[in-house]
Amino acid sequence: MGRSFASNIQSASSHCDPAGQVYFPRFFDLLHDAMEDWFNVGLQERFADFLMKRQLGTPTVGTQCDFLSPARFGDTLVIELSILRLGNSSIELGFDASIDGRACLKCRHTICIFSRKA
């Protein structure tokens, strides 16, 4: 849908396996961190306020990732987020993660937005 938002996130030791590579499920934490940055900075909507004050939820509906090359402890990942599809209650996000220009992950991630108000 046009523009993308980039977030720089450094991999920590807690993201890595004993060999020092980012363990694949931890990439989902990093992608979520990038999505929170997008809310906070790109959309200028504090993600915490979106969830807690506005009582909205953003559960994951589906995700599909291709792991292209490894990320290691201390690497700075540039995670670009773009909106691939905007529905009535769901958003399909695209994530492209790279390290020094080397692609390491490509992901399609769908969330829905719903009211948590009773």
Side-chain angles (χ1 to χ4, degrees):
M1 299 192 96
R3 301 186 324 196
S4 64
F5 174 80
S7 184
N8 294 336
I9 299 176
Q10 188 170 17
S11 64
S13 61
S14 62
H15 299 131
C16 298
D17 62 17
Q21 292 185 351
V22 174
Y23 182 49
F24 77 93
R26 296 306 306 258
F27 272 108
F28 296 106
D29 290 330
L30 299 172
L31 296 178
H32 187 83
D33 289 345
M35 186 181 77
E36 285 192 31
D37 287 349
W38 174 58
F39 269 85
N40 294 333
V41 178
L43 300 177
Q44 297 181 348
E45 168 85 40
R46 275 181 26 104
F47 190 65
D49 291 344
F50 189 79
L51 298 180
M52 306 308 288
K53 290 183 180 176
R54 294 180 62 186
Q55 294 187 351
L56 296 169
T58 61
T60 298
V61 175
T63 192
Q64 187 275 321
C65 285
D66 294 319
F67 300 95
L68 306 171
S69 66
R72 294 178 178 78
F73 174 49
D75 284 344
T76 298
L77 288 94
V78 176
I79 301 175
E80 287 192 44
L81 178 154
S82 57
I83 298 173
L84 302 177
R85 186 186 56 76
L86 186 60
N88 291 326
S89 61
S90 66
I91 304 170
E92 185 176 9
L93 302 171
F95 293 96
D96 291 293
S98 62
I99 301 162
D100 294 328
R102 172 179 50 87
C104 73
L105 175 133
K106 188 170 193 65
C107 182
R108 295 176 79 92
H109 185 75
T110 304
I111 61 172
C112 72
I113 308 294
F114 76 101
S115 174
R116 298 184 301 117
K117 294 179 184 177

